Amino acid sequence: METSSHDILIIGGGGAGLRAAIEIAEQDPTIDVAMVSKVYPMRSHTVSAEGGAAGVAGKDDSLDEHCYDTVSGSDWLGDQDAIEYFVNEVPKELLRLEHWGCPWSREPDGRIAVRPFGGMKRMRTWFAADKTGFHLLHTLFQTSLKYRAIARYDETFVTRLLVEDGAVRGVVAIELRTGKIRVIQAKAVIIATGGCGRVFPFSTNANICTGDGMALAYRAGAPLKDMEMVQYHPTGLPFTGILITEAARAEGGWLLNKDGYRFLQDYDLGKPTPAPVFRSMELGPRDRVSQAIIGEFEKGRGFHGPYGDYVHLDLRHLGEHKIETRLPMVRELCLKYENLDPVKEPIRIRPVQHYMMGGVHTDINAATPLPGLFAAGEAACVSINGANRLGSNSLGEILVFGARAGRAAIEAARNGSPASETAVLAQGRDEERRLEENYLRKTGGTERIAKLREEMQQTMERGCGIYREHNSLVESAHKLDELRGRAAHLAIDDHTRTFNTQLTAALELGFMLDVADSIVHSALNREESRGAHQRRDFTKRDDQKYLAHSVAYKTAEGPPRIEYLPVVITRWPPGERVYGR
Amino acid sequence: MPQYTQYQPKAYRPRMSAYWYLDQWRYLRYALREASSFFVAYFCVLTLVQLAALGTSATRYAQFEACMGSPVMIIINAIALAFFLLHAITWFNLVPRVAMRQMLGRPTPDAISSGPNYLLWFGATVILALFFLGVL
Amino acid sequence: MSDTIILEVARFNPERGGEPSYESFEVPLRPDWMVLDGLNHIKDQLDGSLTFRWSCRMGICGSCGMMINGVPTLTCESLLINYAPGPVRVGPLDHFPVVKDLVVDLDDFLAKLQKVRPWVVRKDDFKPPREFMQSPAQLEAFHQFSLCINCTLCYAACPVSGLDPNFLGPAAIALAHRYNLDSRDQGVEDRLDIVSQHEGIWDCTVVGECSVVCPKNVDPSLAIQQLKLTATKEWFKSFLLPRGKH
């Protein structure tokens, strides 16, 4: 076991983690900050974001309008103080990215260009063609290289948070290259590990999105908030689940059923017009559009394919020039993965799990209830996204709250009281023993990791997909209990120390099972339909009982304890979500 | 003696063979292109020898011409010509791609950047051909 | 057509030592499977100890570059069926130290990236109150070179990288060029000093394979040749005007 110590430790090297690291290095160069990431930072899943980042830019737009779009998009489950803070900060953050070299797309006069996006009433989405996340991540990573003060533990996998005297004191991690167990102590820890899309079978998320940070915090005693709020993106490629950006619809793409009919008009999303109209039809919010597609499937108006039903996303009328300049990656992905050219053919798409509105419960300062622990990005739930995130609000969120978490962690690192090092190291040795006994030296197990993972994914899709109900959720909860039991008997083929990806897959499976459990039980307890959470047995929104965040605490045995926390309402009292009228 | 000490895994460091350019066609193509410089030099020397012969006496030039007419020299020169063409095409394509972009500050299609080279080449060939055919 | 295909996959376990060897696995040959799906089938169903990196499976994270039949390729965007009837030989990227099976050591590459100062350098410390104006043409000037996903296929294709491990290499030099061409940047001189040192641009003998294998059409070879031109111009300038350094 090797030990090291820093003032602040960031877990996760994606957009939020890098933004936090840069903020800390800029605010106070004397602070010793380190970042631990299970992949090299530029491999993080931020890289896959496509469409853009929303921030008020033009004269015809206002902060209040962005706030209202976000609040109504969230189905009033977003905290309005956090949303106001976010909307106010995000243009400054996007501008900072510009100064750091992000290749934002431009107007002919050299100003930043903006595009429309789903659920937004104005053009305010900054974009770098349709590789916004890629450019944002690489700009942040390259800028972070300027700061020698940022220490990095690349390809190092965190297995546990160390909690002593009621505060987080660091982590235990495996250095993949050598297999060495490291205890990394810190006065403040920021979780920026992204989402957990891989608990679902069909997701846009990368292989690394296994909810590690959520599970680490949850096991350490920090609660998970609004975990039932799972976003399905309307347009994923049927076999791979690869994302076709919402920008495809923002630029004017149409959703068509098997009769070539723009079916969204049947789902209270407005009347079809040739050019896109804000907050209408294909520019509706993701929850409503995804639900409409499922509606078409149920009416038998989708196409049948080898990977389930699908509908068409038609871009042909946009013409080759627009597709090539504004949506080059959409074309590239369709050609490579579907063998079709969107210039000539409509794209086959179906809704696909995309994003977790829920995550580690934090306040507006990115602080969790556990002293010394902060969280930002998709791993966290502040909440600005409520029951449904608007497209292009997440890239802004990782910047705003990444930086916020950085500043909050500086405070905590300055004011934190020291813990007993002996106690912390003893915990580290416990964890080392657990890893050795349960995985590295374990023989005779019979359960294959992939099999358990697949069964978990299937039960999540069946019981906890776009539509849920009591019985399906209870069934999923039972299945997860069974899987957790079986996960104690994993078959491990790889007993080497060096780069043991079977060990990490096993640990990730454990993380995912815990996170899945919190999703199912949060969904089971919320007996209403709101945003992305649609119950067949409770089809109406119930503001009397559920204008509140569900907060899930892990218990020693049995299901999580679910509590409710009122939503912060400042200026926008709950109302009807109106799109297209 | 065990090679592995715990936590000190020794990475395998591949070595390139001394004949790496024979391993793959793409590398061989590169090696041939590099070798073409030798034949360019050969032509330069040959031209100098030719000029020297021309300047010395008519007999020396006749000897030079006779030597050039031998089957061995024809084969050598045919090979040299092939390499010379490879050399010319490589640089005709490459130099303008870099230079045009440097001047214009934006990418240009290959046809536009290296096209003029081939036009000039073709033009020069036509003029020389006409000259030797006695038209000019 | 057969409904399976043989993958010959490189195996190397540093804890056992020795040389890498190839192990054959039979995997299903499905029309929409990539080579990466084949590798995952092996890992999930046949041998859980097979070790390789992958993440986004959509050609943008840059993790899954390997040698397929001797050519550096992203396994997530290479259809298995294109290699039928097989066998398909999958190995770790050439010219890098092999950590285990298909995983190579990238630390040296990351150090090279950092070396070229890949961030906006402002000598004047100017921070505009709003965005820097940048016309679409100015964006176009560097955009292509900003598309590098750091997959390091170009290093595996470059014999110079193989012969001289200290060669800065295609991706790092292209990245330097990307910032040099950015109208917001003022660090050209610093970066020219770095890339025109030994083991920089002058090591490049224009094999051109880096640009052939690049999955994002970044054309690092072009970047290097352009930098050679710029460096030469600067050298002449300083030669003619010894005190002309501004």
Side-chain angles (χ1 to χ4, degrees):
Chain A
M1 196 171 81
E2 260 186 40
T3 61
S4 52
S5 152
H6 302 275
D7 292 329
I8 300 174
L9 183 71
I10 300 164
I11 312 176
L18 285 165
R19 181 66 192 90
I22 295 173
E23 184 69 11
I24 294 162
E26 285 202 332
Q27 292 281 331
D28 185 349
T30 65
I31 294 254
D32 174 5
V33 54
M35 171 185 282
V36 41
S37 171
K38 67 176 174 177
V39 291
Y40 285 105
M42 71 280 187
R43 314 286 189 222
S44 307
H45 189 53
T46 306
V47 83
S48 297
E50 297 175 18
V56 171
K59 277 196 212 78
D60 61 341
D61 195 3
S62 70
L63 297 175
D64 275 7
E65 281 175 295
H66 190 185
C67 284
Y68 180 77
D69 285 343
T70 306
V71 169
S72 56
S74 80
D75 215 347
W76 273 270
L77 194 67
D79 285 327
Q80 297 179 7
D81 56 343
I83 291 173
E84 282 190 72
Y85 173 75
F86 162 73
V87 165
N88 201 26
E89 286 296 307
V90 74
K92 297 176 218 166
E93 283 293 334
L94 298 179
L95 204 57
R96 198 164 283 136
L97 254 290
E98 197 278 336
H99 294 170
W100 286 341
C102 185
W104 296 114
S105 294
R106 303 284 175 156
E107 296 291 347
D109 66 359
R111 283 178 304 129
I112 300 279
V114 283
R115 64 164 41 135
F117 233 71
M120 301 274 191
K121 203 158 58 179
R122 299 277 179 244
M123 296 226 276
R124 62 168 77 100
T125 297
W126 305 36
F127 60 102
D130 56 357
K131 295 189 177 181
T132 314
F134 162 79
H135 284 300
L136 198 135
L137 180 69
H138 280 252
T139 302
L140 283 170
F141 175 60
Q142 287 158 11
T143 303
S144 81
L145 295 177
K146 183 162 70 172
Y147 300 99
R148 305 266 163 177
I150 303 172
R152 288 212 321 267
Y153 297 89
D154 290 340
E155 298 200 315
T156 300
F157 188 101
V158 176
T159 66
R160 179 178 170 181
L161 293 180
L162 295 170
V163 182
E164 182 62 36
D165 272 351
V168 172
R169 308 291 180 178
V171 305
V172 180
I174 306 167
E175 183 179 87
L176 294 183
R177 171 86 56 81
T178 56
K180 236 181 254 172
I181 310 286
R182 282 183 173 280
V183 170
I184 310 174
Q185 298 181 72
K187 296 174 194 152
V189 172
I190 301 174
I191 287 183
T193 50
C196 62
R198 286 275 156 178
V199 304
F200 291 90
F202 187 60
S203 169
T204 62
N205 285 197
N207 181 45
I208 54 175
C209 301
T210 48
D212 303 6
M214 294 175 182
L216 288 168
Y218 187 50
R219 290 175 182 177
L224 300 180
K225 185 161 79 187
D226 293 341
M227 291 302 282
E228 68 276 34
M229 300 302 174
V230 181
Q231 178 161 80
Y232 277 74
H233 196 290
T235 57
L237 298 180
F239 167 53
T240 53
I242 287 173
L243 170 71
I244 297 300
T245 172
E246 190 164 305
R249 280 171 286 137
E251 296 291 345
W254 295 332
L255 286 175
L256 306 173
N257 66 15
K258 71 171 185 193
D259 308 319
Y261 173 71
R262 288 176 70 185
F263 56 88
L264 292 181
Q265 58 190 294
D266 298 349
Y267 296 85
D268 193 20
L269 281 162
K271 292 273 157 282
T273 50
V277 173
F278 296 119
R279 288 177 64 110
S280 172
M281 290 296 289
E282 281 84 0
L283 284 184
R286 289 176 178 171
D287 54 341
R288 298 275 301 273
V289 176
S290 292
Q291 288 153 18
I293 296 173
I294 300 299
E296 288 302 285
F297 292 167
E298 285 174 355
K299 289 175 194 152
R301 297 201 298 227
F303 299 89
H304 304 296
Y307 305 105
D309 288 356
Y310 63 88
V311 291
H312 276 158
L313 170 63
D314 193 351
L315 307 183
R316 288 173 296 179
H317 55 286
L318 302 181
E320 181 164 8
H321 177 73
K322 191 161 196 177
I323 292 175
E324 203 41 61
T325 52
R326 296 293 193 106
L327 304 164
M329 184 147 150
V330 167
R331 193 178 190 189
E332 193 183 318
L333 292 171
C334 288
L335 285 168
K336 276 186 183 147
Y337 294 95
E338 290 282 294
N339 193 23
L340 70 80
D341 184 351
V343 172
K344 299 187 191 117
E345 284 173 83
I347 308 167
R348 297 177 285 266
I349 57 97
R350 67 181 178 114
V352 49
Q353 192 284 339
H354 182 55
Y355 184 85
M356 291 298 295
M357 271 72 77
V360 183
H361 169 43
T362 75
D363 61 15
I364 195 170
N365 294 322
T368 73
L370 194 58
L373 186 67
F374 302 83
E378 190 178 344
C381 179
V382 182
S383 148
I384 64 161
N385 299 314
N388 173 61
R389 175 174 72 79
L390 291 189
S392 78
N393 265 353
S394 68
L395 287 180
E397 182 183 359
I398 61 178
L399 298 171
V400 170
F401 289 99
R404 191 76 198 83
R407 289 193 298 274
I410 292 176
E411 285 306 307
R414 282 182 187 145
N415 304 328
S417 56
S420 144
E421 187 163 345
T422 357
V424 171
L425 293 183
Q427 282 192 35
R429 272 188 297 276
D430 277 352
E431 178 68 359
E432 187 174 26
R433 239 186 328 271
R434 181 183 80 97
L435 293 171
E436 294 270 348
E437 281 166 16
N438 293 0
Y439 302 101
L440 285 165
R441 274 183 301 172
K442 185 176 172 62
T443 48
T446 50
E447 298 283 357
R448 285 208 76 80
I449 295 171
K451 178 92 170 56
L452 295 191
R453 193 168 55 211
E454 202 191 314
E455 286 184 31
M456 168 194 69
Q457 291 169 339
Q458 294 307 334
T459 197
M460 290 303 285
E461 179 80 9
R462 265 199 312 275
C464 204
I466 293 186
Y467 287 99
R468 303 98 188 250
E469 61 192 18
H470 181 269
N471 292 345
S472 72
L473 287 163
V474 169
E475 204 175 298
S476 293
H478 286 187
K479 181 72 187 177
L480 289 175
D481 285 344
E482 174 209 314
L483 291 173
R484 256 196 312 279
R486 286 164 62 192
H489 308 285
L490 291 179
I492 305 279
D493 309 333
D494 192 347
H495 295 279
T496 59
R497 307 272 156 171
T498 315
F499 223 100
N500 191 332
T501 50
Q502 202 183 24
L503 168 64
T504 55
L507 292 166
E508 285 169 344
L509 176 66
F511 289 153
M512 286 193 286
L513 286 170
D514 279 2
V515 172
D517 202 42
S518 76
I519 296 174
V520 168
H521 284 280
S522 302
L524 188 59
N525 276 261
R526 186 179 285 277
E527 297 187 326
E528 64 155 358
S529 286
R530 181 189 297 271
H533 175 69
Q534 294 293 315
R535 291 275 301 247
R536 298 244 189 230
D537 41 358
F538 299 93
T539 54
K540 293 272 177 300
R541 193 173 92 187
D542 182 355
D543 285 343
Q544 288 297 320
K545 277 175 83 178
Y546 294 108
L547 191 62
H549 301 290
S550 37
V551 182
Y553 291 84
K554 189 160 173 38
T555 55
E557 292 289 323
R561 184 177 84 248
I562 310 282
E563 294 176 2
Y564 287 92
L565 198 72
V567 173
V568 179
I569 306 280
T570 57
R571 294 196 280 145
W572 297 275
E576 191 197 355
R577 287 173 89 196
V578 178
Y579 291 99
R581 29 180 178 103
Chain B
M1 208 179 87
Q3 283 184 299
Y4 171 73
T5 10
Q6 204 169 24
Y7 309 132
Q8 305 287 331
K10 239 189 172 155
Y12 170 74
R13 289 176 190 276
R15 280 265 193 85
M16 278 176 89
S17 99
Y19 303 102
W20 58 269
Y21 46 83
L22 297 178
D23 284 355
Q24 296 190 26
W25 164 239
R26 55 209 174 103
Y27 289 165
L28 183 62
R29 203 170 49 196
Y30 155 77
L32 292 175
R33 191 196 79 203
E34 292 290 281
S36 69
S37 304
F38 171 77
F39 292 95
V40 173
Y42 161 77
F43 264 126
C44 291
V45 172
L46 198 65
T47 310
L48 288 176
V49 172
Q50 185 178 17
L51 287 174
L54 197 60
T56 319
S57 67
T59 4
R60 279 302 284 278
Y61 194 69
Q63 279 174 350
F64 173 80
E65 277 195 321
C67 173
M68 285 296 108
S70 74
V72 176
M73 284 310 290
I74 288 178
I75 291 171
I76 291 177
N77 284 339
I79 295 172
L81 178 68
F83 275 101
F84 202 97
L85 290 175
L86 175 66
H87 193 88
I89 290 168
T90 304
W91 297 105
F92 272 24
N93 287 340
L94 196 62
V95 173
R97 267 182 83 199
V98 180
M100 290 279 278
R101 185 152 174 174
Q102 195 88 349
M103 284 188 293
L104 299 176
R106 62 186 161 80
T108 41
D110 283 358
I112 295 177
S113 61
S114 45
N117 271 337
Y118 288 99
L119 280 179
L120 282 174
W121 193 12
F122 182 72
T125 312
V126 168
I127 291 169
L128 283 175
L130 292 176
F131 181 77
F132 283 115
L133 292 171
V135 181
L136 287 179
Chain C
M1 196 183 66
S2 161
D3 52 0
T4 61
I5 191 167
I6 302 291
L7 285 186
E8 295 174 357
V9 187
R11 304 303 304 263
F12 169 69
N13 176 358
E15 298 172 25
R16 227 178 288 137
E19 300 248 319
S21 58
Y22 283 85
E23 186 175 352
S24 292
F25 297 95
E26 190 173 354
V27 304
L29 180 58
R30 307 230 168 101
D32 35 20
W33 268 25
M34 300 292 170
V35 174
L36 178 63
D37 294 309
L39 292 174
N40 269 321
H41 177 83
I42 299 173
K43 175 123 190 126
D44 288 347
Q45 312 298 341
L46 307 175
D47 183 349
S49 70
L50 182 69
T51 304
F52 52 95
R53 293 188 180 104
W54 73 286
S55 179
C56 77
R57 57 82 179 85
M58 57 190 277
I60 192 82
C61 79
S63 306
C64 68
M66 297 168 208
M67 305 300 284
I68 306 183
N69 289 346
V71 181
T73 316
L74 291 182
T75 52
C76 74
E77 50 178 47
S78 306
L79 283 167
L80 206 45
I81 209 153
N82 290 346
Y83 299 94
V88 193
R89 190 161 260 240
V90 184
L93 283 180
D94 275 355
H95 309 156
F96 288 95
V98 182
V99 174
K100 183 177 172 186
D101 292 351
L102 300 162
V103 172
V104 295
D105 180 349
L106 293 176
D107 281 358
D108 183 53
F109 167 68
L110 266 100
K112 284 169 180 167
L113 278 190
Q114 184 160 25
K115 205 170 162 189
V116 302
R117 305 173 71 80
W119 51 81
V120 170
V121 174
R122 292 298 298 189
K123 300 276 176 189
D124 58 7
D125 261 337
F126 173 63
K127 278 216 180 87
R130 43 179 303 161
E131 71 262 46
F132 286 104
M133 290 294 144
Q134 187 170 63
S135 68
Q138 285 173 317
L139 173 64
E140 177 84 3
F142 71 89
H143 187 252
Q144 176 184 10
F145 303 115
S146 72
L147 295 174
C148 171
I149 60 172
N150 299 165
C151 64
T152 66
L153 297 190
C154 52
Y155 286 74
C158 173
V160 181
S161 289
L163 292 165
D164 178 2
N166 294 321
F167 176 43
L168 209 44
I173 298 178
L175 187 60
H177 196 48
R178 171 249 179 275
Y179 279 95
N180 281 353
L181 294 178
D182 193 323
S183 58
R184 297 166 287 192
D185 178 81
Q186 299 175 328
V188 183
E189 279 180 36
D190 303 0
R191 284 188 213 100
L192 271 186
D193 282 349
I194 296 160
V195 299
S196 41
Q197 279 168 3
H198 261 302
E199 287 137 1
I201 49 177
W202 302 111
D203 258 13
C204 166
T205 56
V206 208
V207 180
E209 282 302 313
C210 53
S211 297
V212 175
V213 300
C214 177
K216 298 290 143 184
N217 300 318
V218 173
D219 205 346
S221 176
L222 176 67
I224 300 175
Q225 310 327 317
Q226 288 187 332
L227 272 169
K228 284 180 182 170
L229 215 59
T230 315
T232 312
K233 269 194 325 212
E234 290 301 315
W235 181 80
F236 266 111
K237 263 197 235 160
S238 66
F239 184 69
L240 295 171
L241 309 161
R243 269 177 291 169
K245 265 219 156 182
H246 19 275

